């Protein structure tokens, strides 16, 4: 008898249905074969399946087990086929009824004793199971909450192989897991580990973060060691607009594929904050590998990618950011696959002003020459700097100011202003596909929505001449000024908005290194 069991494999963010065909004809000598482009993890399932069957009391002596994974031209990866293969063997041997099997989908890894272990990518598989009209999905117990966010699909979390076989044979009762997705999602949205009211002083930098959050602008912080760059960067997610349900679902899928969803999590309710070390490789940042895995830029989708010690990252790693920052998607092409992943994130970078770290510091003497400072700054290429709208110099807070400074404005208060500004931008770009905030404005949109009056034009022209600002600063200043105007509730860009935006282009000034 040939048994057919439904399962799925992953291709990027999508799940591809897989039909597992199992045949167990009589054979003088036991043989076991898996065909259909299995990877190493799938081929190694033989020992896990056989050991689990022995705990169930099944012997395969004098049998040939043939497993076909269809479609045969798609590579099958991971250990999630252990459970459906084992169920297929039992059905083929007549130990389980076959009439109801086609209504269910199975995913799970097996231990040698039959315990069902968690696997990656359960959420995309659950979405595919509902799309294909399956009645129920059987998943490892530790993955059940992740899959249960998909409505109109029964999801059973199983701890042991016997839980599944007992249910299919009618001797065990299992209850589907139900999750109130909206209630849990909105209940966790306002929980943040960090708050801007804990930051003493640094009002100009906090204002820069507010502007960056309101317009979706990338931001670069330059300051001496210990001035608070990392501390403030970690608090940026607390002032960003809350995730929508669609954004949360997309973000959760990416983290599910990477295996980064905890057992008690159903949907990711807060914007991701990823902070990779500066020794990260190109592949770890953008994704890829022999078996595809999302990189840090994909895990930061709909959130923040924080690169501390920006100039210490290798040049090749930094240059891989250029296209994702522009297109907000990345296509990874390898010999075995071609996958496009979303990666719309805010880049927050921090760096020292020079190799020793004390350039421009009021009390510590810098030992670097202007040439050394210039070489240090040149580690960031012009095209990459073009994609960073806001550049802020962070100064150390004096001791007396730290001790006597009052409690700052809370993140919740700042977030209200940010959300109001984002709503203005959403209405403005409602008819433009792929544009949601000011940072994404094209040149044509910039000419339409960032027009300056005569006084504003004169002020920008004088500033560019006086401060020797580079030509690339012009568009960036207009984008940031548009965001500042939105925060102020102004329909037009005023000279005061231009003045503040000019202040966020410190590194474009030719005199920055010499002063």
């Amino acid at each position: 008898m040939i048994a057919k069991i439904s399962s799925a494999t992953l291709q990027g963010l999508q799940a591809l249905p897989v039909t597992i065909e199992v045949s167990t004809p009589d054979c003088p000598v036991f043989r076991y074969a898996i065909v259909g482009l299995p990877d190493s993890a799938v081929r190694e399932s033989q020992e896990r399946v056989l050991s689990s069957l022995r705990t169930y009391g099944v012997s395969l002596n004098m049998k040939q087990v043939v497993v076909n994974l269809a479609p045969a031209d798609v590579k099958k990866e991971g250990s999630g086929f252990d459970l459906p293969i084992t169920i297929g063997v039992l059905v083929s041997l007549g130990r389980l009824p076959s009439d109801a099997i086609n209504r269910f989908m199975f995913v799970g890894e097996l231990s040698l004793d039959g315990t069902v272990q968690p696997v990656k990518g359960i959420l995309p598989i659950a979405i595919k199971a509902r799309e294909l009209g399956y009645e129920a999905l059987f998943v490892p117990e530790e993955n059940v909450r992740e899959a249960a966010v998909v409505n109109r699909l029964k999801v059973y979390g199983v701890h042991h192989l016997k839980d599944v076989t007992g249910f299919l044979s009618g001797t065990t009762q299992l209850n589907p897991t139900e999750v109130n997705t909206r209630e849990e999602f909105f209940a966790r949205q306002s929980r943040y580990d960090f708050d801007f009211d804990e930051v003493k002083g640094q009002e100009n930098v906090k204002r820069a973060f507010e502007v960056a959050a309101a317009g979706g602008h990338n931001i670069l912080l330059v300051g001496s060691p210990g001035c608070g760059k990392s501390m403030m960067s970690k608090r940026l997610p607390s002032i960003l607009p809350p995730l929508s349900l669609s954004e949360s679902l997309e973000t959760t899928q990416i983290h599910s594929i990477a295996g980064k969803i905890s057992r008690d999590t159903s949907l990711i309710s807060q914007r991701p904050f990823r902070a990779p070390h500066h020794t990260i490789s190109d592949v770890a940042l953008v994704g890829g590998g022999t078996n595809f895995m999302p990189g840090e830029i994909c895990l930061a989708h709909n959130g923040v990618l924080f690169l501390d010690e920006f100039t210490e990252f290798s040049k090749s790693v930094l240059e891989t950011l250029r296209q994702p920052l522009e297109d907000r998607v990345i296509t990874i092409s390898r010999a075995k696959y071609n996958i496009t992943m979303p990666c719309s994130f805010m880049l927050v970078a921090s760096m020292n002003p020079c190799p020793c770290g004390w350039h421009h510091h009021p009390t510590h003497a810098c030992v670097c020459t202007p040439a050394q400072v210039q070489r240090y700054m040149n580690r960031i290429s012009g095209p990459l700097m073009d994609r960073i709208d806001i550049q802020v110099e962070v100064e150390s807070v004096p001791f007396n100011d730290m001790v006597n400074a009052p409690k700052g404005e809370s993140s919740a208060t700042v977030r209200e202003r940010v959300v109001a500004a984002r709503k203005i931008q959403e209405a403005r770009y409602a008819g433009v596909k792929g544009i949601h905030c000011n940072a994404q404005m094209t040149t044509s949109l910039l000419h339409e929505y960032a027009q300056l009056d005569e006084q504003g034009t004169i002020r920008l022209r004088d500033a560019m001449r006086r401060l020797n600002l580079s030509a690339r600063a012009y568009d960036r200043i207009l984008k940031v000024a548009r965001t500042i105007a939105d925060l102020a509730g102004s329909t037009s860009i005023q000279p005061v908005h231009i003045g503040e935006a000019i202040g966020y282009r410190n590194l474009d000034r030719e005199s920055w290194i010499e002063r």
Side-chain angles (χ1 to χ4, degrees):
M1 175 182 177
I2 297 178
K4 294 186 178 182
I5 311 297
S6 297
S7 189
T9 189
L10 295 173
Q11 284 190 327
L13 270 183
Q14 304 298 319
L16 180 71
V18 174
T19 300
I20 298 174
E21 301 174 335
V22 182
S23 175
T24 55
D26 294 333
C27 185
V29 181
F30 170 73
R31 297 177 63 183
Y32 190 103
I34 299 181
V35 296
L37 286 182
D39 72 346
S40 297
V42 180
R43 287 194 296 269
E44 290 172 357
S45 67
Q46 172 181 342
E47 299 303 327
R48 297 189 294 271
V49 168
L50 295 179
S51 180
S52 298
L53 288 170
R54 281 193 290 268
T55 65
Y56 191 75
V58 174
S59 174
L60 292 175
N61 293 332
M62 310 295 289
K63 290 287 185 180
Q64 178 181 7
V65 179
V66 180
V67 180
N68 177 45
L69 308 177
D73 60 344
V74 176
K75 190 171 183 62
K76 320 302 186 305
E77 300 173 351
S79 55
F81 296 111
D82 292 3
L83 178 60
I85 289 175
T86 306
I87 297 298
V89 172
L90 292 173
V91 172
S92 179
L93 293 173
R95 302 291 290 267
L96 288 176
S98 60
D99 53 348
I101 295 296
N102 59 355
R103 296 187 284 115
F104 306 134
M105 182 178 281
F106 302 85
V107 180
E109 176 186 330
L110 291 177
S111 295
L112 296 181
D113 62 355
T115 302
V116 184
Q117 299 292 336
V119 295
K120 301 175 182 177
I122 286 294
L123 180 55
I125 292 173
I127 294 172
K128 178 58 69 172
R130 182 187 65 182
E131 178 185 320
L132 295 175
Y134 286 97
E135 178 183 318
L137 172 66
F138 289 82
V139 301
E141 194 174 45
E142 293 187 24
N143 293 129
V144 67
R145 290 185 61 80
E146 180 184 337
V149 303
V150 179
N151 56 16
R152 304 192 306 277
L153 175 71
K154 292 180 181 179
V155 179
Y156 295 100
V158 293
H159 173 70
H160 194 275
L161 173 63
K162 291 183 179 180
D163 296 338
V164 186
T165 58
F167 178 85
L168 295 176
S169 60
T171 61
T172 301
Q173 181 68 33
L174 293 179
N175 295 319
T177 299
E178 296 182 359
V179 174
N180 190 329
T181 306
R182 290 181 176 273
E183 180 180 332
E184 289 198 7
F185 175 72
F186 291 113
R188 296 184 180 185
Q189 271 197 324
S190 58
R191 301 177 187 174
Y192 295 98
D193 296 329
F194 305 104
D195 198 289
F196 266 105
D197 64 5
E198 301 162 347
V199 180
K200 298 293 184 69
Q202 302 289 12
E203 297 303 322
N204 64 318
V205 185
K206 287 190 281 188
R207 170 62 177 177
F209 271 114
E210 180 181 342
V211 173
H217 302 286
N218 302 318
I219 183 171
L220 173 63
L221 307 177
V222 183
S224 56
C227 65
K229 303 186 295 294
S230 299
M231 179 186 68
M232 288 183 284
S233 298
K234 291 177 181 178
R235 285 156 175 77
L236 177 59
S238 68
I239 64 172
L240 288 172
L243 281 172
S244 66
L245 269 173
S246 60
E247 287 178 328
S248 176
L249 185 62
E250 191 175 40
T251 304
T252 305
Q253 286 187 69
I254 296 173
H255 285 248
S256 174
I257 294 169
K260 298 186 180 297
I261 303 295
S262 61
R263 180 173 183 172
D264 60 343
T265 301
S266 51
L267 278 178
I268 291 176
S269 55
Q270 296 180 0
R271 294 190 179 273
F273 181 87
R274 305 295 301 179
H277 192 260
H278 61 259
T279 56
I280 190 172
S281 67
D282 304 19
V283 173
L285 186 68
V286 302
T290 304
N291 297 331
F292 172 78
M293 284 292 289
E296 288 293 331
I297 63 173
C298 297
L299 294 172
H301 179 59
N302 291 323
V304 176
L305 178 67
F306 176 50
L307 301 184
D308 199 8
E309 304 296 343
F310 197 40
T311 52
E312 299 303 322
F313 286 79
S314 71
K315 190 174 183 64
S316 62
V317 167
L318 292 181
E319 292 307 300
T320 60
L321 289 172
R322 288 163 54 176
Q323 180 264 334
L325 283 172
E326 194 73 23
D327 299 339
R328 300 184 182 272
V329 295
I330 184 167
T331 299
I332 302 169
S333 299
R334 300 291 184 267
K336 298 180 180 179
Y337 57 80
N338 186 294
I339 292 172
T340 299
M341 294 285 290
C343 56
S344 180
F345 58 89
M346 275 185 64
L347 174 64
V348 179
S350 68
M351 56 181 284
N352 293 334
C354 67
C356 77
W358 303 112
H359 191 54
H360 298 168
H361 196 276
T363 59
H364 285 75
C366 176
V367 298
C368 305
T369 64
Q372 289 175 317
V373 177
Q374 185 66 64
R375 283 196 299 271
Y376 184 78
M377 299 302 297
N378 285 344
R379 294 182 185 179
I380 308 172
S381 68
L384 181 57
M385 190 66 77
D386 277 345
R387 290 161 172 80
I388 300 177
D389 295 344
I390 298 177
Q391 307 159 0
V392 182
E393 191 168 1
V394 185
E395 299 179 356
S396 298
V397 180
F399 176 79
N400 289 336
D401 291 348
M402 280 194 295
V403 174
N404 300 320
K407 192 172 183 178
E409 197 174 27
S410 69
S411 292
T413 303
V414 179
R415 187 166 61 250
E416 289 179 3
R417 297 195 295 266
V418 169
V419 170
R422 282 289 184 103
K423 287 181 178 178
I424 293 173
Q425 295 166 46
E426 289 174 4
R428 178 185 299 139
Y429 308 124
V432 185
K433 185 179 179 179
I435 306 294
H436 308 288
C437 57
N438 290 333
Q440 301 171 349
M441 276 196 291
T442 61
T443 302
S444 60
L445 291 175
L446 201 61
H447 291 161
E448 183 176 354
Y449 296 114
Q451 293 287 344
L452 300 181
D453 58 17
E454 184 177 355
Q455 289 185 340
T457 302
I458 293 173
R459 185 163 192 175
L460 179 54
R461 181 190 61 202
D462 291 346
M464 294 193 71
R465 289 176 178 175
R466 184 176 69 257
L467 301 174
N468 290 319
L469 295 177
S470 63
R472 69 176 178 236
Y474 179 78
D475 285 356
R476 305 295 163 181
I477 290 173
L478 290 180
K479 289 183 180 182
V480 174
R482 179 65 270 174
T483 299
I484 297 170
D486 290 340
L487 281 168
S490 174
T491 56
S492 60
I493 299 176
Q494 303 297 322
V496 65
H497 305 147
I498 287 290
E500 183 178 352
I502 291 169
Y504 296 139
R505 299 301 300 181
N506 286 4
L507 299 188
D508 281 329
R509 305 178 186 185
E510 293 183 357
S511 61
W512 186 84
I513 293 177
E514 285 79 12
R515 73 176 177 85

